[in-house]
Amino acid sequence: MWRLRRNPLRRRSDVVECWILLAAWFIALAASLVTGLAAGSAVDHRLDRQRAESRTAPAVLTTEAPGRTSASAADDSRVWATVRWTAPDGSTRTGRTTVHPGAKAGTPVTVWIDRQGRLTSEPLAPVDAAFQVAWTGILVALTTGGAVLGVTQLLRLRLERRRLERWDEEWARVDSPKGWRTG
C-alpha cells in the first residue's frame, strides 16, 4: 500500500502496480476457492458414482495363483491371477484380478464388477474418499492461485522493464548539459 501514499517520487506505474497486486491477490483467492471446491465436488461425485455402480460378485480362480516371492513374503501382498465370474446379464466372463498368493485353481474369490459386469477396483472407503477429495481440492486451489500470481509476476516484470526504460530516457536527457559524458 506504500505505493498509494502521496510522494513526489511516486510514478503512475507505482500506482498501477499496487492496484494490479491487490486485484491479483483477490482474484487468486477467489479463483482458488472456486476451483478447489469445484474439483473436490467433481471427485466426490465421481467416487460416489463409482461406489453406487460397483458391487461384489463371486468368482472362481481358473489357474493356480503364483506363490510368494522372497520380496513379498514379509508383507501381505497379493498376486495377479485369472478368475471367472458371471456378469449381471448372465454371461460368463474371465479376467485378471489380485488374489492371495498360492491359491489353488477352483478357489472361490470375491471380485468387484461394474454394471456391465466388467472387473473394476474396489471403491474407496469413505475415509479414503474424503482424504482424496480434500487433497484434490487443495492441490487444484494451490495450482490456480500459483498460476494467477505467476501471471501477475510476469506483468510486474514487464512494468519494471518499462519503468527502467523510462528511467534511462530521463537520465540521458539530464546527464550532462552539453552532451559530455561523465566518468
Side-chain angles (χ1 to χ4, degrees):
M1 296 299 290
W2 64 268
R3 291 175 174 93
L4 294 178
R5 291 189 203 140
R6 292 261 177 227
N7 184 336
L9 298 177
R10 183 185 71 181
R11 297 170 296 242
R12 183 182 312 165
S13 62
D14 293 332
V15 176
V16 169
E17 184 177 6
C18 181
W19 284 110
I20 287 173
L21 283 172
L22 287 173
W25 278 103
F26 177 76
I27 291 169
L29 288 173
S32 294
L33 181 67
V34 169
T35 58
L37 289 174
S41 176
V43 169
D44 191 35
H45 178 69
R46 182 184 58 84
L47 292 174
D48 284 345
R49 191 177 71 224
Q50 180 187 20
R51 205 173 301 122
E53 291 178 358
S54 298
R55 65 180 186 89
T56 59
V60 176
L61 276 174
T62 58
T63 59
E64 186 173 324
R68 291 186 193 268
T69 63
S70 60
S72 67
D75 60 5
D76 188 31
S77 64
R78 296 171 63 92
V79 295
W80 288 93
T82 304
V83 295
R84 180 179 59 244
W85 72 96
T86 303
D89 63 1
S91 63
T92 302
R93 305 226 181 139
T94 60
R96 292 180 54 84
T97 190
T98 58
V99 296
H100 294 288
K104 305 290 183 208
T107 303
V109 294
T110 302
V111 295
W112 284 89
I113 59 173
D114 61 11
R115 287 185 178 170
Q116 288 78 31
R118 297 180 300 232
L119 282 177
T120 186
S121 59
E122 180 179 357
L124 292 176
V127 171
D128 295 332
F131 182 77
Q132 186 170 356
V133 166
W135 272 108
T136 300
I138 288 169
L139 290 176
V140 168
L142 289 174
T143 302
T144 301
V148 169
L149 294 177
V151 169
T152 303
Q153 187 62 27
L154 290 175
L155 188 57
R156 288 183 66 204
L157 288 173
R158 174 70 180 127
L159 282 172
E160 181 67 20
R161 187 177 304 129
R162 207 166 147 210
R163 196 174 10 232
L164 290 174
E165 287 170 1
R166 286 189 176 170
W167 182 273
D168 285 342
E169 290 169 7
E170 289 177 19
W171 188 253
R173 274 198 319 258
V174 298
D175 186 21
S176 63
K178 297 184 182 181
W180 301 332
R181 297 288 178 204
T182 58

